[in-house]
Amino acid sequence: MFSLALVSGTANGRSVLEARTIHVADLQAEVDEYLEGSEVARRWGHRTTLNVPLLREGVAIGSISVRRGEVKPFTERQIAVLQTFADQAVIAIENVRLFTQLQARNADLTEALDRQTVTADILRTISQAQADVQPVFEAIADSALRLFGAWSVVVFQYEHELIRVAAARGGTPGSAPFMGQLQAPQRPTDEFPPGRAALTGTVQHVMDADTDAAWGTRFREEAHLRGFRSAVAVPMLREGAVIGVIAVSRERVGGFTPAEVALVQTFADQAAIAIENARLLTELHAKNASLIEALEQQTATSEILRVIASSPTELQPVLDAVAQNAARVCGASDAVLALAEGQTGRIAAHHGPIEGGLGRTFPLSRGLGHGARDHRPADGPRPRSGRGRRSGIP
C-alpha cells in the first residue's frame, strides 16, 4: 500500500484533477509535461501509461491506471474497454454507498422504535406491520378502549385538508348514523373535538359535554344522541403538521387525567411513527429496486465483457451473449440481433421462445421494426406512403 501526491505533474493525478482520460506514450520522456510522473516512471520502469478517471456526476472519485514497460500506446478499443471498467467501478462504489446509507437509516428507524417499547403491544404491531399502518390503527383503538374504559375510540387520518375514519371501536346503536357519515372523507369542523384538534394541532379536552362552554349546541346534541359526556382528541403530528387525530370518549363526566391524556399522546406519537415508517420503507423499497436494476445492468455488461475476453477470435458467442442479456435486462421474453450487410439484414443471434429464423436474411427498409438502415432505434413514425411493402421479422 502506497500513496502518490494528487498533482498535475503525474498522469494519474492530472486524470483525477481534470476528470478526463490521460494517455501518455512515453512517460519517462515527458519531463516538462509530467515532472513527478516521469521521475516515478524512470524509477519503476514503465513507459506507456493510460489513466481513466472514475466519474460520479462529473466529479472524479478515483482512477484506473494501466502501464507498459515499453513504448506501445493503447488502442482505441482498449481505451474504451477501460472506460467501461471505470463506469462499472463507479456503479459498484455508488451501490455500496447507497446500501450503507439505507442500512444506517434503517438503524435509526429501529432505534426510534425501541424507545417506544413502554407500550409493547402497539410497538410490536408497528414492527410487524412495517409498510402497512392499518394494523397499528386497529391496535391503538383496541388498546385505548380497554385501558381507558372508553365508550368509543376513533382513529382519524388527516390529509389533503380532509379527515377520515381509519379505525373505530365502541359506541351504541344511537351512534351508527354518525359513524356512517364519518366513513367518507370530509372537511373537519371546529364544532367537534376531532375537527378542532385537526385544524389547530392542539389537544381538545371536554370535561362535561353538557356544561362545557367551549362547545356549542350542535356538539351537545350529538353527545346526548350518542350517549357520551367527556372526550379527548389528540392530534398526530409529523414535523409540526397534523396527519391524524385520536379521539376517545366516556359515558361519565370528569374528563381524563393528565396521565391518561399523556398516554393518548403516546399513542398518537406511535401512530405518527408508523405512518412515517411506512413512508420511509416505501422510499427504501423504491431505491432498492433502482439499485437492483443498476446491478443487473452491470452484471449484463460484465457478462458480455467476459465473453469478449474469452472469445477474442469468435464473434458468435458475443452476439449470443448480447441477445440473451438484452432480453433479461429489458424484461423481454425474446430478443433478436440482426446485422446489416449492404441492403440486406441477417439474423445473427436469437434468444427466446419466439421463432427467430436464425441465419435468415431480409431486405432493409424503413417499414421494418428496427433501425439498421437509419442507424437509430426504430422509434419514429412509420412512413405513410404505400411504396415499399413491409417485410421483416415475424
Side-chain angles (χ1 to χ4, degrees):
M1 179 70 68
F2 62 91
S3 60
L4 294 173
L6 193 64
V7 295
S8 60
T10 65
N12 186 53
R14 186 171 300 185
S15 175
V16 173
L17 292 173
E18 298 182 5
R20 65 185 180 92
T21 298
I22 300 295
H23 188 194
V24 183
D26 187 359
L27 187 57
Q28 292 187 16
E30 298 289 343
V31 179
D32 294 334
E33 187 71 15
Y34 299 100
L35 178 62
E36 294 89 346
S38 62
E39 179 183 349
V40 173
R42 287 191 297 272
R43 188 191 322 147
W44 291 354
H46 58 275
R47 307 295 288 269
T48 299
T49 180
L50 173 62
N51 307 270
V52 175
L54 308 181
L55 299 177
R56 183 177 68 205
E57 298 180 355
V59 178
I61 60 173
S63 69
I64 300 177
S65 299
V66 292
R67 298 165 292 183
R68 284 176 171 154
E70 57 184 330
V71 178
K72 185 180 178 182
F74 295 89
T75 66
E76 291 298 323
R77 182 174 180 180
Q78 290 170 332
I79 294 173
V81 169
L82 195 63
Q83 288 171 332
T84 299
F85 289 165
D87 292 340
Q88 293 172 341
V90 171
I91 291 173
I93 294 171
E94 184 68 1
N95 285 349
V96 172
R97 185 182 69 84
L98 290 175
F99 275 122
T100 301
Q101 287 182 349
L102 296 181
Q103 289 174 344
R105 204 168 190 180
N106 279 332
D108 291 338
L109 290 175
T110 302
E111 182 180 353
L113 202 60
D114 289 341
R115 287 197 296 264
Q116 303 296 322
T117 54
V118 177
T119 51
D121 289 342
I122 296 176
L123 288 174
R124 184 163 53 251
T125 304
I126 291 175
S127 65
Q128 293 171 348
Q130 296 185 353
D132 184 9
V133 297
Q134 189 60 40
V136 178
F137 296 152
E138 304 292 348
I140 287 174
D142 285 334
S143 297
L145 189 70
R146 175 175 52 85
L147 292 175
F148 300 129
W151 177 85
S152 71
V153 178
V154 183
V155 180
F156 298 89
Q157 275 197 281
Y158 181 54
E159 54 187 352
H160 308 304
E161 299 184 351
L162 296 176
I163 192 169
R164 70 172 183 86
V165 174
R169 297 290 187 274
T172 65
S175 69
F178 176 81
M179 294 301 296
Q181 294 172 7
L182 288 180
Q183 296 308 309
Q186 55 189 282
R187 291 189 179 278
T189 170
D190 66 357
E191 293 181 287
F192 298 95
R196 190 176 295 183
L199 293 172
T200 64
T202 59
V203 174
Q204 301 299 314
H205 192 184
V206 181
M207 305 291 288
D208 184 353
D210 284 350
T211 61
D212 196 325
W215 303 95
T217 302
R218 187 179 177 191
F219 172 70
R220 285 195 296 271
E221 291 176 350
E222 196 66 53
H224 274 291
L225 175 65
R226 298 178 59 206
F228 68 87
R229 296 291 297 272
S230 61
V232 64
V234 176
M236 305 175 198
L237 301 176
R238 182 178 66 209
E239 296 180 357
V242 179
I243 59 175
V245 175
I246 299 177
V248 184
S249 61
R250 282 177 173 153
E251 296 176 275
R252 65 178 186 269
V253 299
F256 294 76
T257 67
E260 289 174 330
V261 174
L263 186 53
V264 179
Q265 288 176 319
T266 298
F267 289 162
D269 291 341
Q270 292 170 341
I273 289 173
I275 295 172
E276 182 69 359
N277 284 353
R279 184 184 69 83
L280 291 175
L281 285 170
T282 300
E283 290 182 359
L284 293 180
H285 288 322
K287 275 191 174 182
N288 281 334
S290 298
L291 289 173
I292 291 171
E293 181 180 355
L295 200 58
E296 288 178 347
Q297 293 173 356
Q298 175 187 345
T299 302
T301 302
S302 300
E303 174 64 18
I304 294 172
L305 290 176
R306 185 190 65 76
V307 176
I308 292 173
S310 62
S311 306
T313 61
E314 295 182 74
L315 178 60
Q316 192 59 45
V318 178
L319 300 182
D320 292 339
V322 170
Q324 180 181 356
N325 283 280
R328 179 170 61 81
V329 172
C330 296
S333 61
D334 195 270
V336 172
L337 190 153
L339 297 179
E341 299 173 347
Q343 297 299 311
T344 302
R346 177 176 62 86
I347 299 176
H350 170 243
H351 176 82
I354 302 175
E355 178 58 41
L358 191 64
R360 176 182 175 183
T361 60
F362 52 88
L364 295 177
S365 70
R366 288 187 174 86
L368 295 178
H370 57 75
R373 178 168 178 168
D374 295 332
H375 306 289
R376 63 179 177 80
D379 55 357
R382 297 187 181 277
R384 297 182 181 179
S385 170
R387 292 174 296 177
R389 303 183 67 135
R390 292 178 58 192
S391 62
I393 304 170

